[in-house]
Amino acid sequence: MEYEEIVAAIAHIDAASSVMGLGCPFNVTMETYSGLNEARNELNQTRLAMLGNGGDRPYSVAELNIPE
């Protein structure tokens, strides 16, 4: 999986969470809420690992400072 795909997947999960109102998870099952959070956390760990040092970096690929 490419870095851009990871960032896009995280953005889709965030959008789904927003649409379903997971800030107050009364309208979805706890399994759904937990599953989305777990998937997002796993993707974010993969994203950090792809960047090398595991430190927090920008989510947007456009914000990365890539030397030429």
Side-chain angles (χ1 to χ4, degrees):
M1 202 177 240
E2 297 290 326
Y3 184 84
E4 295 86 351
E5 293 171 324
I6 298 283
V7 172
I10 291 170
H12 285 295
I13 290 172
D14 288 347
S17 297
S18 179
V19 167
M20 293 190 314
L22 292 182
C24 299
F26 60 87
N27 60 347
V28 295
T29 67
M30 190 50 99
E31 286 179 353
T32 300
Y33 180 75
S34 296
L36 282 174
N37 279 332
E38 184 177 324
R40 190 190 188 289
N41 289 339
E42 287 179 19
L43 286 168
N44 195 43
Q45 289 301 314
T46 300
R47 179 187 72 81
L48 292 173
M50 291 175 88
L51 291 169
N53 66 4
D56 199 14
R57 299 279 196 236
Y59 282 105
S60 173
V61 175
E63 294 176 14
L64 293 175
N65 184 13
I66 301 172
E68 292 183 27

